[in-house]
Amino acid sequence: MGWSDTLRELRISRGWSQVELVRRLALLGCKVSEKAPSKWEHGVSEPSIKQFLALCAVYEIRDVLEVFCGQAGELSALNEEGRRRVREYIRLLGRDESFAKEQEKASLRRMIPLYDLPVSAGTGQFLDSSEYTLIEVDEAVPLHATFAVRVRGDSMEPKFTDGQIVYVKPQQTLERGEIGIFLVDGDAYCKQYGGEAEDMLCSLNPAYAPIRLGEYTAFRILGKVVG
């Protein structure tokens, strides 16, 4: 069955005249002549993209490929009553405030890289690696956090524990007292920037001595820990 036959059957199955179809299309802002449906249904002309979409809306078509191309869709195993119930359930969900909130939360989830090589909070590990795993995060993680690392060791306790994932905003400068991710002579650290002086990286655990930054130390700030 061709697309013109499908259009004719869709209209007839609803008991509409061609004039009624024209009226319903106009309600959607798609104005066509009264002769247009006849031309479409006899294959004399084809509806434009805008007109075709309006036809799908009028006929409540969700799966265009199934209806017009015969390709089996998700609802193909259901009879008309089953499909009607699915459409009704979709409408009910659309009016459900709690479901709408869950949908909004889901839309805020995103993927960021978690580097497989842990940042050491004790001995230092090299971070500049292409080895990472994409993880899903939700709205609790700030949008400006674009990558994550896993802390190793206890030098940043009690704020960050061994194995904890921290989220990082890339930036090249930090204010004194802020916690960030640093490269020091090729090793990566999660530390607090500055202490008694700006030329040191400090642990939150007092059992660990600060890391002094000498004149010839290869030092780079990778980002600020924001979560």
Side-chain angles (χ1 to χ4, degrees):
M1 181 170 61
W3 62 268
S4 56
D5 297 320
T6 300
L7 286 176
R8 183 167 58 254
E9 288 198 1
L10 286 169
R11 178 180 58 79
I12 293 175
S13 67
R14 286 159 176 75
W16 300 344
S17 67
Q18 292 178 345
V19 173
E20 175 63 15
L21 174 59
V22 170
R23 186 187 71 82
R24 290 177 179 266
L25 290 172
L27 291 175
L28 294 179
C30 179
K31 296 182 179 181
V32 299
S33 69
E34 293 186 0
K35 295 181 179 180
S38 177
K39 292 181 178 179
W40 298 336
E41 294 175 7
H42 286 87
V44 175
S45 63
E46 297 181 357
S48 66
I49 293 296
K50 180 180 178 181
Q51 292 166 345
F52 179 73
L53 292 175
L55 286 167
C56 289
V58 164
Y59 291 133
E60 296 184 308
I61 295 172
R62 298 289 185 270
D63 193 330
V64 174
L65 291 179
E66 179 185 4
V67 174
F68 289 96
C69 302
Q71 296 183 16
E74 294 180 349
L75 304 182
S76 59
L78 301 177
N79 59 21
E80 184 56 36
E81 176 61 18
R83 298 183 189 196
R84 185 193 65 77
R85 293 188 181 185
V86 169
R87 290 192 293 268
E88 179 60 26
Y89 186 57
I90 292 173
R91 284 192 287 268
L92 288 173
L93 286 176
R95 295 195 293 268
D96 188 318
E97 291 185 4
S98 62
F99 179 76
K101 290 179 180 178
E102 288 299 318
Q103 288 290 94
E104 182 178 357
K105 288 182 180 179
S107 67
L108 294 176
R109 294 192 179 104
R110 64 191 193 281
M111 306 295 288
I112 64 173
L114 168 65
Y115 284 91
D116 297 335
L117 190 60
V119 168
S120 174
T123 60
Q125 292 283 355
F126 187 66
L127 179 66
D128 276 352
S129 168
S130 59
E131 299 298 323
Y132 59 82
T133 302
L134 287 176
I135 60 172
E136 184 180 69
V137 297
D138 58 22
E139 74 279 2
V141 176
L143 289 174
H144 50 248
T146 61
F147 71 92
V149 292
R150 195 184 300 275
V151 173
R152 175 178 291 172
D154 64 354
S155 73
M156 293 302 285
E157 291 184 351
K159 189 174 182 65
F160 302 116
T161 58
D162 182 32
Q164 181 175 346
I165 294 175
V166 297
Y167 303 97
V168 186
K169 172 191 176 184
Q171 59 185 63
Q172 297 179 344
T173 61
L174 286 176
E175 296 293 330
R176 193 167 168 180
E178 291 182 328
I179 295 175
I181 305 298
F182 309 90
L183 274 181
V184 182
D185 290 332
D187 289 331
Y189 295 88
C190 175
K191 297 293 179 185
Q192 185 180 52
Y193 184 60
E196 297 176 357
E198 291 187 1
D199 61 346
M200 64 173 59
L201 301 178
C202 299
S203 300
L204 299 182
N205 185 340
Y208 289 81
I211 298 173
R212 299 278 180 179
L213 304 175
E215 181 180 355
Y216 300 104
T217 301
F219 173 70
R220 180 156 60 99
I221 297 173
L222 298 179
K224 177 181 177 181
V225 173
V226 293

